[in-house]
Amino acid sequence: MIDNYHDFKRFLETIKDKPRLLLHSCCGPCSSYTLEMLTKYFTVTIFYTNDNIYPAEEFYLRLEEQIKIIDKMQLKVEVIVPPYEPDAYYLAIKGKEQLGEHSRRCYECFTERLEKTAHYAKQHGYSYFSTTLSISPYKNSDWLNEIGYNLEKKYNINYLYSNFKKEEGYKKSIIYSKKYEIYRQDYCGCVYSKNERRNQE
């Protein structure tokens, strides 16, 4: 099990024949640098499962920008969009609605999305699954990797270690967003983060 970025980079150099990777993506900006790195080593498919995003219009706007940046970067990356099921998110975080960002509410949100990714990856013969979420300095990479490795055991499918904020990954994602004129949201996605951000203004 890889548990640090140094070993992750060393592991990438051992990969041959571009195995299939199902990559959960939260949005186009976060996927930009992540895709630039990973498409060198994997045949990547984006899995856009984000039941947490509120409202529905925001979900589809971020999806449009996800497709747009792949096109702008001229990448051969398929985008799979499972049904948008906000009720699944609300069920996952039930009882934790008012805990605030960086709390157990977020942990359960990560789990809900990554579990859908792992399940789909296993069903459809992918070699690995992972997520773009760790590129954000506001997301806990240790939590994401803990969840990923737990799901690796549950579904018997390889989880790819994720900490894409390293080597200025987040800064590079901002540069790509400006270069390709990609919409960058100002809140994580859920109604609670949206309201919390509004209250801080």
Side-chain angles (χ1 to χ4, degrees):
M1 183 179 75
I2 296 171
D3 62 3
N4 63 80
Y5 190 76
H6 176 71
D7 286 349
F8 165 71
K9 289 300 292 287
R10 290 179 61 186
F11 167 71
L12 290 181
E13 298 303 327
T14 70
I15 292 176
K16 298 178 181 178
D17 301 324
K18 287 199 167 184
R20 296 173 71 212
L21 166 66
L22 188 67
L23 181 66
H24 163 259
S25 178
C26 54
C27 62
C30 287
S31 72
S32 57
Y33 169 68
T34 310
L35 285 173
E36 180 192 58
M37 175 196 287
L38 294 179
T39 52
K40 297 173 184 175
Y41 305 98
F42 297 90
T43 299
V44 181
T45 300
I46 287 291
F47 195 61
Y48 184 81
T49 180
N50 296 294
D51 297 326
N52 61 308
I53 295 178
Y54 172 89
E57 292 81 4
E58 180 75 13
F59 174 89
Y60 291 107
L61 173 58
R62 296 189 193 190
L63 174 58
E64 289 175 7
E65 297 300 287
Q66 175 67 79
I67 295 169
K68 177 181 174 181
I69 199 162
I70 290 172
D71 180 62
K72 292 284 188 179
M73 294 178 71
Q74 299 182 324
L75 298 171
K76 293 182 179 179
V77 172
E78 180 185 4
V79 178
I80 294 173
V81 187
Y84 173 51
E85 300 174 323
D87 286 347
Y89 164 71
Y90 291 118
L91 180 62
I93 58 98
K94 187 175 181 180
K96 303 175 179 66
E97 294 88 346
Q98 306 307 320
L99 291 183
E101 287 200 65
H102 315 296
S103 70
R104 192 73 188 183
R105 185 187 75 201
C106 297
Y107 188 97
E108 300 303 341
C109 176
F110 299 159
T111 301
E112 192 264 339
R113 288 185 279 173
L114 278 173
E115 179 140 25
K116 284 193 171 183
T117 307
H119 183 258
Y120 188 96
K122 180 64 176 180
Q123 282 191 320
H124 293 84
Y126 286 84
S127 300
Y128 294 86
F129 76 100
S130 193
T131 179
T132 65
L133 282 166
S134 70
I135 199 169
S136 169
Y138 306 107
K139 299 294 184 291
N140 188 319
S141 297
D142 290 338
W143 280 3
L144 291 165
N145 289 312
E146 177 180 272
I147 294 164
Y149 285 124
N150 286 339
L151 292 170
E152 175 182 271
K153 296 174 185 175
K154 181 175 180 177
Y155 290 99
N156 191 29
I157 182 170
N158 296 314
Y159 170 72
L160 182 68
Y161 174 88
S162 169
N163 195 354
F164 300 114
K165 64 176 68 66
K166 295 289 189 178
E167 298 184 297
E168 297 190 322
Y170 181 66
K171 180 179 178 180
K172 291 172 184 175
S173 76
I174 294 174
I175 291 171
Y176 279 126
S177 295
K178 291 179 179 178
K179 178 179 179 180
Y180 297 120
E181 299 180 322
I182 300 298
Y183 160 69
R184 291 186 66 87
Q185 59 275 6
D186 62 1
Y187 67 104
C188 178
C190 71
V191 62
Y192 310 107
S193 65
K194 184 177 177 68
N195 291 339
E196 287 161 15
R197 180 58 58 88
R198 183 185 301 147
N199 292 336
Q200 293 170 1
E201 292 177 351

